[in-house]
Amino acid sequence: MSLKHAVLGLLDLSPLSGYDLKKAFDGTVAHFWSADQAQIYRTLTALVDAELAAIEVIEGDGRPSRKVHHVTEAGRAELDRWLQADPEPAVARNGFLAKVFFSPRLDDDGVRRMLAARRTAVEGSLGMLTALSEEEGEPSSREERLRLATLRNGIAHGRAELGWLDEIEKELS
């Protein structure tokens, strides 16, 4: 997945300003794709330059005007092309796994602290995803079922990682 396609997908759901797009990222897809504000604005500029998105300036009453981005027909065609293409191989970049790989430099207590910190982070993420899943309730549409599937995937990965952490901690005992 590329950031370009994530942005196109979110703009396909609703026209958004750059600020609102960041909020949408954080509230919808952040459990599997993240982007900072600068990346989002650079991507929006590239999408407009490529005519995959267009800008509408909305004048504010006594406030600064807002630039709202809309996906264009060319943008929808690119989104459809990407959705129908074969999945790209997953690029594995995991800073924590790099730490585990190099952790033999630490003593056992250092490794345990590192694992405990990761457990806390995973439990927090898992709690957030579980709460989001419960807020969604019973999905009533195909759209809701597919979007909820991404939350369930995040929950499954979190649970699997907690089990893996249990195994490592037992091996260190």
Side-chain angles (χ1 to χ4, degrees), residues 2-170:
S2 72
L3 182 55
K4 169 176 94 172
H5 295 106
V7 170
L8 285 172
L10 289 171
L11 291 178
D12 188 51
L13 297 176
S14 174
L16 298 164
S17 68
Y19 174 80
D20 292 332
L21 187 56
K22 174 62 174 153
K23 287 181 9 185
F25 249 93
D26 293 346
T28 59
V29 300
H31 61 284
F32 61 86
W33 198 267
S34 63
D36 64 35
Q37 195 75 38
Q39 291 172 310
I40 289 171
Y41 278 105
R42 281 192 306 272
T43 301
L44 284 171
T45 298
L47 290 173
V48 170
D49 290 347
E51 299 182 353
L52 299 175
I55 298 174
E56 175 186 3
V57 178
I58 299 175
E59 299 297 330
D61 293 330
R63 295 183 301 211
S65 58
R66 291 175 19 106
K67 292 181 180 179
V68 176
H69 296 78
H70 300 260
V71 67
T72 63
E73 285 307 311
R76 284 189 182 91
E78 172 57 23
L79 184 60
D80 289 345
R81 184 206 59 76
W82 173 74
L83 288 168
Q84 295 172 33
D86 290 340
E88 304 94 5
V91 176
R93 275 192 193 161
N94 187 318
F96 179 69
L97 288 180
K99 285 184 174 188
V100 171
F101 186 85
F102 295 113
S103 68
R105 293 189 43 79
L106 301 174
D107 62 17
D108 285 349
D109 287 339
V111 173
R112 283 188 189 92
R113 280 191 300 276
M114 180 185 69
L115 296 174
R118 180 60 176 197
R119 177 177 296 282
T120 299
V122 171
E123 288 171 342
S125 176
L126 188 56
M128 183 215 35
L129 293 175
T130 301
L132 284 173
S133 176
E134 290 168 356
E135 286 174 14
E136 293 293 321
E138 190 62 34
S140 60
S141 69
R142 177 178 177 268
E143 178 180 284
E144 290 173 352
R145 285 190 296 277
L146 289 170
R147 293 205 173 111
L148 189 58
T150 67
L151 285 175
R152 289 194 317 267
N153 179 273
I155 291 167
H157 280 272
R159 289 177 178 157
E161 186 165 354
L162 289 176
W164 175 76
L165 287 167
D166 289 342
E167 291 173 19
I168 295 173
E169 289 166 349
K170 284 179 187 173

